[in-house]
Amino acid sequence: GEDVEQSLFLSVREGDSSVINCTYTDSSSTYLYWYKQEPGAGLQLLTYIFSNMDMKQDQRLTVLLNKKDKHLSLRIADTQTGDSAIYFCAEIYGQNFVFGPGTRLSVLP
Amino acid sequence: DADVTQTPRNRITKTGKRIMLECSQTKGHDRMYWYRQDPGLGLRLIYYSFDVKDINKGEISDGYSVSRQAQAKFSLSLESAIPNQTALYFCATSDQGAETQYFGPGTRLLVL
């Protein structure tokens, strides 16, 4: 079946850049997503990238897509304590969404 | 007001009890989904519905059932709850052809 993989934990210091990585298996996915889940809350769409793009930038967020390697990354510049959360990578597989296990980002002072 | 709401937000129940989790949306979306979240496993799809007459099993439907009472409502039932159904449950919606899902705040269920 379809599989989306992410490392489970990442720690960075406040002010540094964070890079969260994801690999997926369905090369036909049209969209790939990053969701953010803050403690006690649901998932909130952070950003997404269409499969014919290599990069998308939105303020402090940069998404890079390497279709050949089926690798997606999310870079957060100038990471702040408010960025501490779980970040989920997701893709569309058929007509449904497949989520990775989530990467818990901890921002250290 | 939230676009996707879930009730209850928290529930503790005992093994063997029947439990219903409710989801309502005001977004007018046709598609609704139920997921469960477990630490280190991400979100796994339980059931989904693309319109009122459409119900489909997801990856982990055993032990669960659903009812799509109206376009805006999609409920999840555990007929006889067991402890390994302890998890965080999320409802989500999407519009046909849309590129993203919108999530409710989640229901935290503990089965003793």
Side-chain angles (χ1 to χ4, degrees), chain A residues 32-34 46-49 53-58 61-65 72-75:
Chain A
L32 294 130
Y33 306 84
W34 285 105
L46 205 56
T47 186
Y48 64 92
I49 188 167
M53 299 169 65
D54 298 325
M55 184 182 85
K56 180 178 180 180
Q57 188 151 4
D58 182 3
L61 305 178
T62 303
V63 178
L64 295 177
L65 175 61
L72 182 74
S73 67
L74 174 70
R75 179 176 180 270

Side-chain angles (χ1 to χ4, degrees), chain A residues 84-104:
Chain A
S84 292
I86 302 176
Y87 291 82
F88 290 92
C89 170
E91 63 168 343
I92 285 185
Y93 180 66
Q95 296 192 78
N96 286 319
F97 293 76
V98 179
F99 291 83
T103 299
R104 183 179 295 275

Side-chain angles (χ1 to χ4, degrees), chain A residues 28-44:
Chain A
S28 64
S29 290
T30 51
Y31 290 96
L32 294 130
Y33 306 84
W34 285 105
Y35 283 84
K36 178 182 180 182
Q37 183 184 30
E38 295 182 349
L43 276 71
Q44 179 183 19

Side-chain angles (χ1 to χ4, degrees), chain B residues 71-86:
Chain B
Q71 188 205 37
K73 295 186 183 296
F74 192 36
S75 59
L76 176 71
S77 294
L78 287 67
E79 297 301 326
S80 179
I82 55 177
N84 77 1
Q85 291 177 312
T86 293

